């Protein structure tokens, strides 16, 4: 198992509310989000955890205005014509919100997540959503470390 597969398996075990999609599909989407996050220099655990909370790793999720595993708003983050990779668009939205929050002097990861979730209504101070994403990512990282250590001892 690759570290990303171990990470996504841990995330699915930690945050597995009934989603109505097959577990294999959720694992595939989680893995795609984590790999895409690595490609753009983001934390794969945090991005995959956010996808789990936003859509339960449902690649085609569409609730309200949000679409895809990160529930991105295509109107703002997708090209006006042509296809849109909703994972890449979601990661771009995360990066834009982090930059916008840094410009306001809010540098904590929780602030960027809360702004992503609430939009410009967010004024700082944290939110349950951001703490939930970061907590899930941290618990998954701990499980990955434990599983990798256990695999090393078994060899």
């Amino acid at each position: 198992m690759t570290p990303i597969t171990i990470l996504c398996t841990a995330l699915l075990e930690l945050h597995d509310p009934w989603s109505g999609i097959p577990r294999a599909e959720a694992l595939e989407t989680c893995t795609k989000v984590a790999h895409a996050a690595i490609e753009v220099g983001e934390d794969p655990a945090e991005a995959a955890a956010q996808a789990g909370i936003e859509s339960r790793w449902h690649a085609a999720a569409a609730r309200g205005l949000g679409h895809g595993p990160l529930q991105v708003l295509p109107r703002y983050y997708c090209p006006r014509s042509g296809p849109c990779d909703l994972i890449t668009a979601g990661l771009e939205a995360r990066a834009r919100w982090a930059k916008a929050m840094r410009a306001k002097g809010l540098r904590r990861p929780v602030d960027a997540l809360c702004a992503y979730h609430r939009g410009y209504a967010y004024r700082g101070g944290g939110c349950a959503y951001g703490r939930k994403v970061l907590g899930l990512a941290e618990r998954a990282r701990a499980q990955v470390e434990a599983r990798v250590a256990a695999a090393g001892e078994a060899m």
Side-chain angles (χ1 to χ4, degrees):
M1 258 190 192
T2 68
I4 294 298
T5 304
I6 295 170
L7 170 70
C8 287
T9 301
L11 282 166
L12 266 69
E13 290 170 2
L14 291 167
H15 182 72
D16 193 19
W18 183 83
S19 64
I21 64 167
R23 188 172 175 85
E25 182 183 332
L27 184 61
E28 180 182 351
T29 300
C30 178
T31 302
K32 285 179 181 178
V33 170
H35 280 295
I38 290 169
E39 287 177 16
V40 297
E42 285 202 33
D43 179 355
E46 188 179 301
Q50 184 175 4
I53 290 169
E54 286 285 349
S55 68
R56 296 182 183 108
W57 300 285
H58 195 296
R63 292 187 325 223
L65 299 174
H67 294 271
L70 290 162
Q71 290 294 285
V72 69
L73 300 174
R75 172 178 164 188
Y76 299 112
Y77 300 102
C78 288
R80 294 201 188 275
S81 62
C84 178
D85 178 341
L86 294 172
I87 292 173
T88 302
L91 293 172
E92 171 64 23
R94 286 170 45 91
R96 285 190 199 175
W97 280 111
K99 183 177 178 181
M101 291 301 100
R102 284 192 303 273
K104 289 183 172 188
L106 301 170
R107 301 190 178 281
R108 300 175 310 156
V110 71
D111 291 319
L113 287 165
C114 294
Y116 180 99
H117 187 63
R118 290 187 180 166
Y120 286 108
Y122 181 69
R123 302 284 182 246
C127 67
Y129 171 83
R131 290 188 299 275
K132 186 175 181 179
V133 169
L134 294 175
L136 179 59
E138 190 58 39
R139 290 191 314 275
R141 277 191 216 96
Q143 280 199 15
V144 169
E145 289 174 14
R147 290 176 188 189
V148 168
E153 292 173 7
M155 292 183 161

